[in-house]
Amino acid sequence: MFELIIFISGLFFGSFLGVLVDRLPKKENVIKGRSRCDKCKKELGLFDLIPVLSFVFLKRKCRYCHTKLSLLYPVIEILTGIMFALTYMFIISNFKFQISNEFLILKSLIILTYYLFMISSFIVIFFTDLKYGIIPDKIVFPAIVINIFYLLFFNPKSLIFNLASGLGAFLFFVIISYIFYILTKKQSMGGGDIKLSFLLGLSLGFPGILVALYLAFLTGGVIAIILILWKKKAFSKDTLPFGPFLIFGAIISLFWGNQIYSLALNFLGI
C-alpha cells in the first residue's frame, strides 16, 4: 500500500522534474511562473497539469491550440513514479527501516530522502542531456555537495575513499578526452560528462563506479553501432550524448553494483 503512495507521489514529483528538464537549459526560473504550452504560450490550468491523466484525457493535445504534446512529459512522470517505488522497496530491504525510537525513524527517512534525491537528479540529467545535449551544473554541483554531507554524517569512513573514486573517474575522463583530441583533433565528450563522472564516483564509490562506467561504455557502444548500421548516425560526423548512458550505468550500480561486481569476479575466477 505504501509503495502505491510513493509511486503516486513520484508521478507528481516527476511533473516538476519535467519542468526542470525544460527550463534549466533555457536558464528560466524553475520556481516562479506557471507552465505554458510550448506552441501557443497559453498558461495551463490545474486540470491540464495532472500527471499522466491530463495527457490521456486531452488525447495528447493542448486544450487551447490542439498541438500534439511531447511524450517526454508522461514518460518522465511514470519513470519517476516507478523509480520512487523501487527505491523505497530497495531501502526497506537493504537498510531495514528502524522504528524503535524517533532518532532511528529520522535516520531512516533521511536515507530514503537521499536516495530519492539522487534518483531525481539522475532523471533530470538523463533527459536534459538526451533532449538538449546539456548536463546542467545546477543539478550536478548541488548533488556533489549533498553527497559530501551525506557521507560525512552517515558514512564518514567512506568519505575519503569515495572522494578518491570521484577524482579517479574525473581524471579517467579527462585523460580519455585529451588522448582522443590529440589523435583526432575533435572533442570526444563535453565538460558536463567529466563533471558528472566525479559525481558518480563520489556517490557510488568503488567498485560501484567501475560497474557504472563499464555498463555506460558497453550500452553506449552497442547503441552507437546499432544507430550507425541503421544509418541514423554517421560515424565521422554525428555525436551521441553520453550522459544518459552514464546515468543508466549509475542507477543499475546504485542498486546492484556490489552484486554485479561479485558475479564478475566469480566469472573471471578471481
Side-chain angles (χ1 to χ4, degrees):
M1 181 61 184
F2 200 71
E3 288 84 351
L4 179 60
I5 296 174
I6 292 289
F7 171 76
I8 294 173
S9 301
L11 293 180
F12 283 91
F13 203 79
S15 182
F16 174 67
L17 298 186
V19 171
L20 294 181
V21 169
D22 259 346
R23 294 189 183 183
L24 285 178
K26 301 173 186 176
K27 298 182 179 180
E28 296 176 351
N29 194 306
V30 299
I31 304 298
K32 296 180 180 179
R34 296 284 298 275
S35 296
R36 299 175 182 272
C37 172
D38 292 335
K39 183 70 175 179
C40 67
K41 307 303 180 184
K42 183 74 175 179
E43 192 173 274
L44 302 181
L46 179 63
F47 292 103
D48 300 318
L49 298 172
I50 302 174
V52 182
L53 293 181
S54 293
F55 188 86
V56 174
F57 291 150
L58 293 174
K59 298 179 180 179
R60 197 189 165 185
K61 292 181 181 179
C62 171
R63 182 191 300 274
Y64 309 101
C65 67
H66 306 294
T67 300
K68 263 196 171 183
L69 302 175
S70 171
L71 281 170
L72 182 69
Y73 304 112
V75 167
I76 293 176
E77 291 164 358
I78 293 172
L79 179 63
T80 304
I82 292 172
M83 291 306 303
F84 269 37
L86 289 175
T87 301
Y88 170 74
M89 290 186 287
F90 172 79
I91 296 299
I92 287 293
S93 62
N94 285 271
F95 289 91
K96 308 294 183 187
F97 260 39
Q98 303 289 328
I99 57 174
S100 57
N101 60 59
E102 293 180 357
F103 174 75
L104 293 177
I105 292 174
L106 178 61
K107 181 179 178 181
S108 298
L109 289 175
I110 291 175
I111 292 173
L112 176 61
T113 301
Y114 163 76
Y115 273 84
L116 293 178
F117 170 80
M118 289 307 301
I119 288 296
S120 300
S121 300
F122 288 164
I123 289 172
V124 173
I125 292 170
F126 182 99
F127 286 102
T128 305
D129 198 23
L130 190 66
K131 185 175 182 179
Y132 295 103
I134 294 172
I135 296 177
D137 289 344
K138 288 184 178 180
I139 297 296
V140 174
F141 290 154
I144 289 174
V145 173
I146 291 294
N147 269 277
I148 291 174
F149 276 103
Y150 177 80
L151 289 169
L152 188 62
F153 286 103
F154 287 93
N155 198 2
K157 294 180 180 178
S158 296
L159 177 59
I160 300 301
F161 193 67
N162 283 40
L163 281 169
S165 297
L167 183 59
F170 179 86
L171 292 175
F172 174 69
F173 271 60
V174 169
I175 292 170
I176 287 179
S177 183
Y178 180 73
I179 292 174
F180 187 85
Y181 179 78
I182 292 296
L183 295 176
T184 65
K185 300 302 179 184
K186 295 179 181 179
Q187 189 176 4
S188 63
M189 59 185 69
D193 294 320
I194 297 174
K195 286 177 280 190
L196 176 59
S197 69
F198 177 80
L199 168 62
L200 299 186
L202 177 64
S203 59
L204 298 173
F206 186 89
I209 185 59
L210 193 62
V211 173
L213 293 182
Y214 174 77
L215 291 174
F217 281 105
L218 177 64
T219 54
V222 170
I223 295 299
I225 290 172
I226 291 173
L227 291 176
I228 291 171
L229 292 177
W230 281 355
K231 298 183 179 179
K232 298 293 184 180
K233 292 282 185 181
F235 181 76
S236 60
K237 298 179 181 179
D238 295 328
T239 58
L240 192 65
F242 194 51
F245 299 107
L246 285 171
I247 294 300
F248 170 77
I251 290 176
I252 297 297
S253 182
L254 186 67
F255 293 134
W256 304 289
N258 290 332
Q259 293 91 323
I260 293 173
Y261 184 72
S262 296
L263 286 173
L265 293 182
N266 289 335
F267 178 77
L268 296 173
I270 300 175

